[in-house]
Amino acid sequence: MNPSRLKNEGWLYGLTFLIALGFRLLQLGATPLTDSEAILALQALDIARGGSPLLGTQPAYVLFTSIFFAIIESTNLMARLAPALMGSALVFAPYFFRDQLRARPALILAFLVAIDPGLVALSRQANGTILAVTFALFAWAMWTHRRLIPAGIFAGLALLSGTSLWAGLLTIGLASLFIRGLESKTSTSESPVSSIESPSTHYELRPFLLAVILTLVLGGTLFFMAPNGLSAWVSSLPAYLKGWVAPSQMTPGRILFTLLVYEPLGIFLAVLSLIRGYRTGSRRIIGLSLWLAVALVIAIFYRQPGELVWAILPLLALAALELSRGLNIFPSEQLEVGVVTTALLILLAYIWFDIAAIGLDPFNQFVTDIPIIGSIQNPRYAILYGALAILIACIAFVAFGWSGRTAWLGSTWAFVIFLTAYSLGAAWSGSGMRNPNGVELWIPEQKPAQADLLLASVKDISGFSLGHDRSQTVTVIGIDSPALEWLLRDHSVEVVSTLDPQVAPPIVITPPMDDLSLPSAYRGQDFNWRQRVQWDTMPAPEWWRWLVNRQLPRENETIILWARDDLFPDARETTQQP
């Protein structure tokens, strides 16, 4: 049998694609857009309505989304549909590299891509990050297979996807330099990684370049209906460079923490793969490790969690190689490995229950006196450390008393099963389906808290006064929030800096204030809008609570919805009475 092919390979990739679609499409439009998402969505909406807005640095997302808005409807679901579809299509990328990775690791990599928490979270954000990754990988894949026209098309789309592409090009470029430098010091044959990234370049490049140019011109202007797309593409590189010095809520430590808590499955398997690869001198694993190291350093110091996507890709590739090796279990050792795996799984489940108990009450102040040790705060910590010690001891006893291979296979599969369950939960949480008001580190800014209530109130007032829930004009004063403008996109919205004291607009949204000082009477209702995590004042035990239920202390921004008194039915009835 051809080692680069698997039985029913196409069906298995199709099943993986369906799994990816489930994680990325389910309840995609349930949560409101953040300010950064709304900026791009409003540009797409303006194009769909026939306008010519000044586009940002992600024209591919804006132009594709404007098509959905024009053909279907401008909803939260449509605003996030293009990234979700492209993020799901990313599972097919490993298929084109199966000659280098081999068929089984490539299929495992596709499954890991489908359920990866970071990739799921980024695929459900209304921006061009995941578009840049998907188009760049498919351009790379087509290039290696010498399909120049598709490679040029995907390369052009990647260039239109925004600033994330430049992070990927910088990462791959630096990694290639390190790999070539390493190769120059050895006399071995070319590494598998370099063969992936450097096919022969002597063949004709004109079809590739022509496809790139046509894609930039036609795709970047939406077939000349939005000429501003080309200027937006040109500005993406300066915008990426400015990001290195721009202020960010995320520190390098939080970026690293994001990778640790969302990618434990990939990290665990990648560490095993690196140990084996450096011990045996595997060129493929060494090359992937250099890619991972460069991507991680760039993402940490760029301080944007989305750029971790370029580190997740080699991390999952290393994990797939190790997991494929772990499937090689002889029939004679299946019983032994199964017993060890089951026992360790029980211990891991107990450890997680103890972590959950700490997370539900991270500030437990109970003090317990233990002989010799003395007084300790929160005995759950002592139980946790003890369980971890027992886990390590069990693995050591199996290794010395049974066999090292049985200990390795049993512990590997116990951790793989446990961490896969954790990853599924983290992906579910990162998608926003588990807790819509939870804090996810992939999104530095939080979603508006009471957007649905605010919109419902505006619709009710409009319906009371004019008989249609979208008829009344809304005036916004003193609030710079694109998410608010997106929420009210079906209304006529006027954003002003000050109110004319001689005019009494029907509906006004303001920051907290006691009186509008307008000639008409108004009724007001406050709503929680944006929420800011208190990073600087947050105590360390709060991270335990976040790990369990994704909650962190936040400061709410309050806005007030004012409605003119005569818009309400009861006020009109009072004024009509003699």
Side-chain angles (χ1 to χ4, degrees):
M1 184 177 65
N2 190 339
S4 63
R5 299 293 184 271
L6 284 176
K7 184 179 180 182
N8 299 323
E9 188 176 30
W11 290 103
L12 293 174
Y13 274 97
L15 177 61
T16 304
F17 178 66
L18 293 178
I19 295 173
L21 279 177
F23 274 104
R24 288 156 177 81
L25 292 182
L26 191 61
Q27 296 184 7
L28 184 60
T31 57
L33 301 189
T34 63
D35 283 334
S36 61
E37 291 178 307
I39 291 174
L40 299 174
L42 287 171
Q43 294 173 6
L45 182 60
D46 196 356
I47 293 176
R49 291 175 174 175
S52 299
L54 182 63
L55 302 186
T57 59
Q58 303 179 40
Y61 165 80
V62 173
L63 297 175
F64 289 161
T65 304
S66 68
I67 298 175
F68 292 132
F69 288 170
I71 297 177
I72 305 176
E73 189 179 4
S74 57
T75 62
N76 294 340
L77 172 63
M78 291 298 107
R80 296 186 174 120
L81 185 59
L85 294 177
M86 290 299 100
S88 300
L90 188 60
V91 302
F92 293 115
Y95 175 83
F96 296 98
F97 296 107
R98 64 194 186 283
D99 290 335
Q100 291 81 17
L101 297 173
R102 291 190 174 272
R104 191 165 67 179
L107 181 60
I108 294 173
L109 176 58
F111 175 76
L112 293 176
V113 167
I115 67 169
D116 182 78
L119 296 179
V120 169
L122 294 174
S123 298
R124 294 173 67 94
Q125 294 182 19
N127 57 45
T129 298
I130 204 68
L131 272 65
V133 175
T134 302
F135 290 140
L137 284 183
F138 275 103
W140 189 356
M142 295 301 103
W143 175 267
T144 61
H145 289 274
R146 301 189 179 185
R147 300 177 183 177
L148 299 186
I149 293 179
I153 294 173
F154 284 120
L157 292 174
L159 288 171
L160 292 171
S161 297
T163 56
S164 292
L165 175 67
W166 302 111
L169 293 178
L170 177 61
T171 297
I172 296 174
L174 291 177
S176 299
L177 290 177
F178 288 129
I179 292 172
R180 294 179 187 277
L182 183 64
E183 289 177 351
S184 64
K185 297 180 180 179
T186 61
S187 57
T188 57
S189 60
E190 184 182 18
S191 71
V193 174
S194 62
S195 64
I196 292 177
E197 65 188 34
S198 301
S200 299
T201 58
H202 63 274
Y203 51 88
E204 185 60 63
L205 294 180
R206 280 182 295 182
F208 172 79
L209 296 176
L210 181 62
V212 172
I213 295 172
L214 287 177
T215 302
L216 289 175
V217 173
L218 297 179
T221 62
L222 198 59
F223 294 92
F224 303 106
M225 291 188 293
N228 291 335
L230 284 180
S231 61
W233 162 66
V234 173
S235 64
S236 63
L237 179 57
Y240 173 72
L241 296 177
K242 290 180 182 178
W244 283 96
V245 295
S248 175
Q249 296 180 4
M250 303 295 286
T251 63
R254 291 180 196 138
I255 295 295
L256 182 59
F257 180 78
T258 300
L259 185 72
L260 293 175
V261 296
Y262 281 99
E263 306 293 333
L265 175 61
I267 292 173
F268 170 75
L269 290 172
V271 168
L272 296 181
S273 181
L274 290 174
I275 293 174
R276 177 174 59 87
Y278 275 88
R279 187 176 58 189
T280 60
S282 171
R283 305 287 295 175
R284 179 188 295 109
I285 292 177
I286 293 174
L288 288 171
S289 69
L290 292 174
W291 179 5
L292 173 61
V294 172
L296 188 57
V297 170
I298 291 176
I300 287 176
F301 289 100
Y302 195 73
R303 296 169 300 158
Q304 293 295 332
E307 305 310 330
L308 281 172
V309 67
W310 298 105
I312 292 176
L313 297 175
L315 182 74
L316 296 183
L318 290 168
L321 291 171
E322 184 63 23
L323 191 55
S324 176
R325 184 170 178 265
L327 291 172
N328 298 323
I329 303 176
F330 301 121
S332 59
E333 59 185 4
Q334 289 179 354
L335 179 60
E336 300 173 355
V337 172
V339 171
V340 175
T341 300
T342 303
L344 295 181
L345 270 177
I346 294 173
L347 277 173
L348 289 172
Y350 178 79
I351 289 172
W352 176 252
F353 288 143
D354 195 58
I355 292 175
I358 295 175
L360 294 174
D361 188 13
F363 298 100
N364 190 340
Q365 299 298 316
F366 294 125
V367 178
T368 302
D369 292 325
I370 298 179
I372 301 176
I373 298 178
S375 298
I376 64 170
Q377 188 176 12
N378 195 340
R380 284 285 181 182
Y381 289 100
I383 297 174
L384 175 61
Y385 300 148
L388 291 173
I390 294 173
L391 178 68
I392 297 173
C394 288
I395 297 174
F397 289 153
V398 172
F400 291 105
W402 216 330
S403 73
R405 177 177 170 81
T406 301
W408 168 71
L409 288 173
S411 58
T412 296
W413 279 106
F415 276 94
V416 165
I417 295 172
F418 174 77
L419 294 177
T420 298
Y422 174 90
S423 296
L424 292 173
W428 187 263
S429 179
S431 67
M433 292 179 284
R434 174 188 171 189
N435 186 356
N437 196 35
V439 177
E440 298 297 335
L441 301 182
W442 295 104
I443 310 174
E445 54 181 348
Q446 299 305 303
K447 297 180 176 66
Q450 295 182 325
D452 293 339
L453 290 176
L454 176 62
L455 181 61
S457 299
V458 172
K459 288 184 176 181
D460 288 343
I461 296 169
S462 182
F464 292 155
S465 57
L466 297 178
H468 192 280
D469 61 3
R470 300 180 182 180
S471 299
Q472 278 294 11
T473 301
V474 181
T475 302
V476 178
I477 175 174
I479 301 173
D480 182 15
S481 176
L484 182 59
E485 297 181 47
W486 168 258
L487 182 71
L488 302 171
R489 62 193 176 277
D490 294 327
H491 296 260
S492 176
V493 179
E494 183 180 4
V495 181
V496 297
S497 56
T498 58
L499 285 174
D500 186 348
Q502 304 301 321
V503 178
I507 300 175
V508 184
I509 300 178
T510 71
M513 60 176 58
D514 296 331
D515 187 9
L516 292 179
S517 299
L518 294 177
S520 298
Y522 283 82
R523 301 182 187 182
Q525 175 63 50
D526 62 314
F527 294 89
N528 291 331
W529 189 241
R530 289 173 291 202
Q531 298 178 312
R532 295 180 177 85
V533 178
Q534 299 175 348
W535 299 109
D536 298 330
T537 61
M538 186 174 58
E542 285 287 355
W543 287 111
W544 288 101
R545 190 159 68 97
W546 176 86
L547 188 63
V548 175
N549 55 21
R550 292 301 193 264
Q551 292 298 321
L552 287 176
R554 284 168 283 184
E555 180 182 3
N556 291 323
E557 176 189 3
T558 301
I559 61 176
I560 299 180
L561 172 65
W562 299 91
R564 206 170 56 210
D565 194 62
D566 63 343
L567 301 182
F568 296 91
D570 59 336
R572 292 197 297 269
E573 292 174 0
T574 302
T575 56
Q576 292 174 0
Q577 291 179 358

